[in-house]
Amino acid sequence: MRKILILSLTSLATSVFAATSTNSESSSYAAFQQFDRQYSFGFGVTSGQLTNGSNDATNNTQFVNVEVERLFNIGVWMDINAYLLTYYSQVADPAVPTLGVTTGSQAQFGGLNAKVGYAFPLLKDTLMITPYAVLGRNVNLSSYSLAAAPSTANLTQDYFWSVGGGARLEYRLNSVFDFYLDQSAVYNASQAPTTQGLPANNNYAYTTTLGSKFNLYRNFQLGGQLFYTGNYFTQSLVTSSGTALVPQSTVGGMLSVGLTY
């Protein structure tokens, strides 16, 4: 009787453990969860092309990025990141005479963006595609938004609501190496006030990202990415004096260090 009881308890414990293990990581996503359950800190650089319709210029930036990513057992994928520029360099960009100052023309000095999607495995443990939606709030502070505003007293109103979508194709080589290609399209709706007959600097931003993740030791992960963004404005932003430069395209890269969970 005692042996039967022990065997029954052992069998029950084994069943519970197996059920728990099965529920904790879906067989369809477990391999990708090794990479896509992570939080990280990144440092990046960009170089951007600017124009006012008649003259071109270049800016260079450095930024820091904090990211939290999770691929759930049921296939739902979520990614939240916040970034902030720590350095900005640009040739002279005189704003309209009423400002009397030189200001930067990289509108998005910082922001918070969230992506939510659903992952579809294409090849078991190897290839997966994740369509997603994007929602964000990004700073809109540039010589153009300042020139178009009635006042520079309240700069907290100079921001974009960013809405769009995209898809990420992910290739898992093995438990150490993971690569992805991400394409997104976002509409940046400016909330900055405008006067002087200048239109808002609403724009579409198309971003292509090539990234990689490396699980080097236990929960330690390194990441890297290269990206390109093209900006297309819904209205002409060329001013009568032609002094306010606006971004046209940006190339950049980022390195990150983080932990998986």
Side-chain angles (χ1 to χ4, degrees):
M1 184 66 180
R2 180 178 300 176
K3 290 183 178 181
I4 294 175
L5 180 60
I6 292 175
L7 289 174
S8 298
L9 292 175
T10 302
S11 177
L12 178 61
T14 302
S15 300
V16 171
F17 176 77
T20 302
S21 299
T22 301
N23 292 331
S24 63
E25 291 191 341
S26 167
S27 59
S28 299
Y29 302 104
F32 291 99
Q33 287 173 326
Q34 296 174 353
F35 295 93
D36 298 341
R37 288 182 171 182
Q38 59 89 18
Y39 50 91
S40 61
F41 175 82
F43 175 80
V45 296
T46 71
S47 178
Q49 295 298 315
L50 312 165
T51 186
N52 61 8
S54 57
N55 297 296
D56 297 328
T58 301
N59 64 18
N60 297 287
T61 76
Q62 298 176 5
F63 66 93
V64 291
N65 185 81
V66 177
E67 180 181 19
V68 178
E69 179 186 19
R70 183 176 180 87
L71 175 61
F72 293 87
N73 300 331
I74 59 175
V76 174
W77 175 76
M78 178 184 70
D79 181 275
I80 300 174
N81 79 81
Y83 69 96
L84 180 67
L85 264 62
T86 58
Y87 170 82
Y88 185 91
S89 175
Q90 179 189 313
V91 297
D93 176 20
V96 294
T98 55
L99 290 177
V101 295
T102 298
T103 57
S105 288
Q106 170 60 285
Q108 297 184 341
F109 273 80
L112 177 67
N113 296 274
K115 300 177 180 179
V116 179
Y118 188 84
F120 296 91
L122 301 178
L123 294 175
K124 181 176 174 57
D125 299 342
T126 304
L127 192 65
M128 182 174 71
I129 188 168
T130 307
Y132 60 82
V134 182
L135 176 63
R137 188 182 189 278
N138 296 281
V139 173
N140 177 14
L141 183 58
S142 67
S143 60
Y144 186 86
S145 60
L146 290 175
S151 171
T152 58
N154 183 12
L155 301 181
T156 59
Q157 61 195 343
D158 293 348
Y159 67 91
F160 293 107
W161 282 120
S162 303
V163 182
R168 186 175 73 162
L169 183 65
E170 185 173 359
Y171 172 68
R172 177 185 176 276
L173 180 63
N174 50 38
S175 60
V176 178
F177 300 101
D178 182 83
F179 305 92
Y180 60 91
L181 175 64
D182 190 296
Q183 178 64 53
S184 67
V186 173
Y187 178 65
N188 294 308
S190 175
Q191 305 304 301
T194 59
T195 58
Q196 307 177 42
L198 299 178
N201 57 337
N202 301 330
N203 67 90
Y204 291 93
Y206 300 92
T207 301
T208 301
T209 303
L210 180 62
S212 58
K213 300 176 183 177
F214 308 100
N215 289 338
L216 295 184
Y217 180 74
R218 293 186 178 179
N219 298 108
F220 181 70
Q221 183 179 95
L222 292 179
Q225 60 177 235
L226 299 173
F227 55 87
Y228 169 85
T229 298
N231 296 94
Y232 302 89
F233 294 87
T234 58
Q235 300 185 69
S236 174
L237 300 185
V238 178
T239 62
S240 58
S241 57
T243 56
L245 295 165
V246 294
Q248 298 297 297
S249 64
T250 302
V251 295
M254 183 179 73
L255 296 176
S256 64
V257 57
L259 297 173
T260 58
Y261 61 95

